[in-house]
Amino acid sequence: MSADVLGRWVPDRPEDVAAVFAKADFPWWIAGGYAIELAVGRELRAHGDLDVLFLRHDQNRVRDLLAGWDLYVADPPGQGELRPWRPGEVLRPPLHDIWCRSKPDAPWSVQLMLDEAEGTQWVSRRHPAIRLAIDRLGRTSKAGIPYLAPEVQLFYKAKATREKDEIDFEAVLPLLDAPTRAWLADAIEVIAPNHPWLRRLLPVSRT
């Protein structure tokens, strides 16, 4: 659905989000293209939004932290439709995408993404076989901003790669060590066994 219907975006910067989430007592990570930029330490391209990932079991704490914000859920996901995240409502799968703005007449500034967890493991909403220890799910920038590990972000970008995803892949690939490349290759094989990125990752993952 067009911005004329859903409203315009003026994404926050990672440092703006870090200020909002400074008092969070739960894990959260900058995601999307900004996560790749935090990994490589430089700007790569323009951004249409800013994503923040957190775990579904922390959603009540997120809701409390953003009390007073205007929060909408993409329901059903990916169909260009939004509805208010009702007070006290527990969002269950497949709902995972929340648009946020500071007040109803402000532009959208943050997109929250819910992901799954079992015990100490993150579980991808794309496929339950894709897992990683939660303490390996993110990294921290020099400025102290948490961001999603680039291999996890690239896994999510692999579903339907666009030009911007190729830019992100090329920028961060040299920073991935052999175990990280192996994990990413194995994860992509589960959802897209013929993905072109595998040619760059598989030789490392199979040595």
Side-chain angles (χ1 to χ4, degrees), residues 15-84:
E15 53 267 29
D16 300 325
V17 172
V20 172
F21 280 75
K23 296 182 179 179
D25 59 353
F26 53 87
W28 61 273
W29 305 270
I30 297 290
Y34 277 115
I36 300 297
E37 290 187 347
L38 289 170
V40 301
R42 67 181 190 276
E43 293 186 7
L44 298 173
R45 53 181 176 80
H47 299 273
D49 59 9
L50 183 146
D51 300 330
V52 177
L53 185 139
F54 63 95
L55 301 175
R56 189 176 297 276
H57 59 58
D58 291 322
Q59 62 178 285
N60 289 336
R61 297 188 212 177
V62 175
R63 186 63 187 262
D64 290 343
L65 186 69
L66 297 179
W69 282 58
D70 199 36
L71 308 177
Y72 277 69
V73 182
D75 185 9
Q79 300 300 310
E81 298 180 15
L82 299 175
R83 64 164 179 81

Side-chain angles (χ1 to χ4, degrees), residues 71-203:
L71 308 177
Y72 277 69
V73 182
D75 185 9
Q79 300 300 310
E81 298 180 15
L82 299 175
R83 64 164 179 81
W85 185 7
R86 297 182 292 272
E89 178 186 9
V90 176
L91 301 178
R92 304 191 184 282
L95 302 180
H96 66 271
D97 184 1
I98 304 159
W99 289 31
C100 311
R101 54 191 175 188
S102 59
K103 53 186 179 180
D105 60 349
W108 303 110
S109 58
V110 179
Q111 189 168 6
L112 302 179
M113 311 301 293
L114 288 164
D115 243 345
E116 314 304 324
E118 292 181 7
T120 60
Q121 285 197 318
W122 161 80
V123 182
S124 170
R125 65 177 180 272
R126 295 266 169 86
H127 197 291
I130 312 295
R131 296 170 178 248
L132 194 65
I134 293 173
D135 61 9
R136 292 179 55 199
L137 190 58
R139 301 179 186 174
T140 304
S141 74
K142 292 181 180 179
I145 301 174
Y147 64 92
L148 195 61
E151 63 271 23
V152 180
Q153 187 58 65
L154 289 176
F155 162 71
Y156 275 123
K157 285 175 169 288
K159 180 181 179 182
T161 52
R162 301 149 295 183
E163 181 180 359
K164 63 181 182 179
D165 302 318
E166 297 292 347
I167 292 172
D168 292 346
F169 178 78
E170 292 295 337
V172 83
L173 181 62
L175 304 181
L176 303 183
D177 60 18
T180 299
R181 290 188 184 203
W183 181 90
L184 177 57
D186 291 341
I188 291 175
E189 277 193 304
V190 172
I191 62 165
N194 297 315
H195 199 286
W197 288 356
L198 292 174
R199 292 195 296 271
R200 309 279 297 279
L201 296 168
L202 279 171

